[in-house]
Amino acid sequence: RDRGRWWCGGHLYNEVLPIPERIPEVMARLGCILLCAVASAIIAFLLVVQSGQKRIALAKSTVLVKVGKGHGSGVAIGNRFVITAAHVVGSESEVVLSTSKGEEYPADVLWTNGPHDVALLRMREDYGISVSRLNCTDTPSIGQRLEAIGNPGKLEFVHSWGRVSGPIQELFRWKVAFIADLGIAPGSSGGPVIDERGRVIGIVVGVSVTYLGGMIPSPTNFSVVVPANGGICQLLARQG
């Protein structure tokens, strides 16, 4: 007769252990399950908080770029520098930046690059505007989740979500760009596009259009994004 099992009439039966002997084992297993559940809940909560903090930081680092009677969007990247689309500033040498709080600050246009459609601005003083980090190491992958923020039309600091829809390539008039299914409109140009870790993976520069009857332009659901890695970072002479 083995401990925990016994034979009777050629059959093997399991022995039920006394309750006091099983309690420690059961309690240990319940404690382990409870600990795992609590740890998972804490991790999920921290991820939600972190995501919210990144979204708040993105909104604070995004600016509305006022140029004459028109406007676009931009993002502060540190040391008083702001990037936007070249076609937003055109030939202007200075612009006005407006924050989500309604504050306005002057900025100088340091340079523009037409083929990449990127412009670098610099605020004249450190106004304490939050900044976002450029992702100069990762290449956007098809299907990757994205978030953008900009100032389409009369709307200000509007968020939109989508995914990378095509590879980085020479696209239309842009030397380096990729397609994403982000909802944008005139005024969004220059606004940041971020990855799931809250890093700027590119800026919006345009929207893909189709022509109805071969003559009437009609916007599609696909936007054009100039990437940070392979585009903006190289213009800024940044690596990783």
Side-chain angles (χ1 to χ4, degrees):
R1 179 177 181 276
D2 296 326
R3 175 178 172 81
R5 293 189 293 181
W6 54 280
W7 292 89
C8 181
H11 297 284
L12 178 65
Y13 293 85
N14 290 321
E15 181 181 67
V16 178
L17 297 175
I19 291 179
E21 196 172 329
R22 292 179 59 86
I23 287 179
E25 178 185 350
V26 173
M27 293 302 293
R29 290 182 179 180
L30 288 176
C32 182
I33 293 173
L34 181 61
L35 181 62
C36 290
V38 171
S40 298
I42 292 175
I43 291 174
F45 174 76
L46 291 176
L47 288 175
V48 170
V49 172
Q50 185 181 45
S51 176
Q53 290 175 339
K54 289 178 179 177
R55 187 165 290 113
I56 293 173
L58 174 64
K60 290 182 178 180
S61 65
T62 302
V63 294
L64 186 150
V65 183
K66 294 184 177 180
V67 185
K69 295 182 179 180
H71 76 274
S73 305
V75 59
I77 59 172
N79 294 323
R80 306 191 344 243
F81 291 115
V82 174
I83 53 174
T84 185
H87 73 266
V88 169
V89 299
S91 60
E92 298 294 325
S93 60
E94 59 183 46
V95 298
V96 174
L97 306 179
S98 179
T99 70
S100 57
K101 295 180 179 180
E103 302 162 331
E104 294 190 347
Y105 306 109
D108 297 309
V109 180
L110 300 184
W111 53 257
T112 62
N113 184 292
H116 287 85
D117 204 357
V118 176
L120 183 66
L121 319 177
R122 195 173 198 196
M123 293 175 279
R124 294 175 182 173
E125 296 181 27
D126 185 355
Y127 301 111
I129 295 178
S130 297
V131 300
S132 289
R133 177 188 173 192
L134 283 172
N135 182 353
C136 295
T137 57
D138 299 330
T139 299
S141 57
I142 296 177
Q144 180 178 348
R145 295 179 182 272
L146 302 172
E147 180 179 351
I149 184 170
N151 306 283
K154 294 183 179 181
L155 302 176
E156 296 184 358
F157 304 99
V158 175
H159 294 257
S160 61
W161 289 265
R163 294 178 182 269
V164 177
S165 303
I168 293 178
Q169 59 186 308
E170 186 171 346
L171 194 63
F172 307 124
R173 69 179 186 87
W174 292 277
K175 188 172 182 178
V176 180
F178 66 89
I179 291 291
D181 63 340
L182 291 165
I184 67 165
S188 298
S189 289
V193 176
I194 66 167
D195 60 20
E196 292 176 303
R197 294 177 59 185
R199 300 170 300 177
V200 178
I201 204 169
I203 61 170
V204 171
V205 291
V207 61
S208 176
V209 298
T210 186
Y211 289 87
L212 302 178
M215 297 179 61
I216 304 174
S218 176
T220 68
N221 291 328
F222 295 103
S223 56
V224 183
V225 180
V226 171
N229 184 26
I232 299 170
C233 295
Q234 280 61 28
L235 293 175
L236 297 174
R238 288 192 181 189
Q239 296 180 350

